[in-house]
Amino acid sequence: MAKTPFGSLSAAIAMLATALGFLTFQLRANGYEQYVESVASASVVMYVTAALVVLTWVRARRPYSD
């Protein structure tokens, strides 16, 4: 499973989540309060997704022991 791009996928999702987090602060500073909650929620969902991709990567590298 070393050839599968789990690491780059997780990093890309985390970078997008970080960008959405910064966008949340910009929206709040510019007075667009009605969009802050949904953008912040999307950012949190992306961080969770990145963490689950890493978890999948770790579990896929373990040898199967039946």
Side-chain angles (χ1 to χ4, degrees), residues 1 7 12 16 23 55 60 65:
M1 284 305 253
L16 185 56
L23 178 63
L55 179 66
S65 58

Side-chain angles (χ1 to χ4, degrees), residues 4-14 46-60:
T4 309
F6 285 123
S8 59
L9 175 65
S10 178
I13 292 172
M46 289 191 153
Y47 277 124
V48 170
T49 302
L52 289 175
V53 168
V54 169
L55 179 66
T56 302
W57 186 19
V58 169
R59 291 183 57 101

Side-chain angles (χ1 to χ4, degrees), residues 1-45:
M1 284 305 253
K3 294 182 181 177
T4 309
F6 285 123
S8 59
L9 175 65
S10 178
I13 292 172
M15 287 187 327
L16 185 56
T18 302
L20 285 175
F22 285 125
L23 178 63
T24 301
F25 290 119
Q26 286 294 321
L27 288 173
R28 186 174 306 231
N30 291 334
Y32 293 104
E33 291 289 331
Q34 67 268 25
Y35 302 113
V36 169
E37 184 177 352
S38 61
V39 173
S41 296
S43 177
V44 169
V45 166

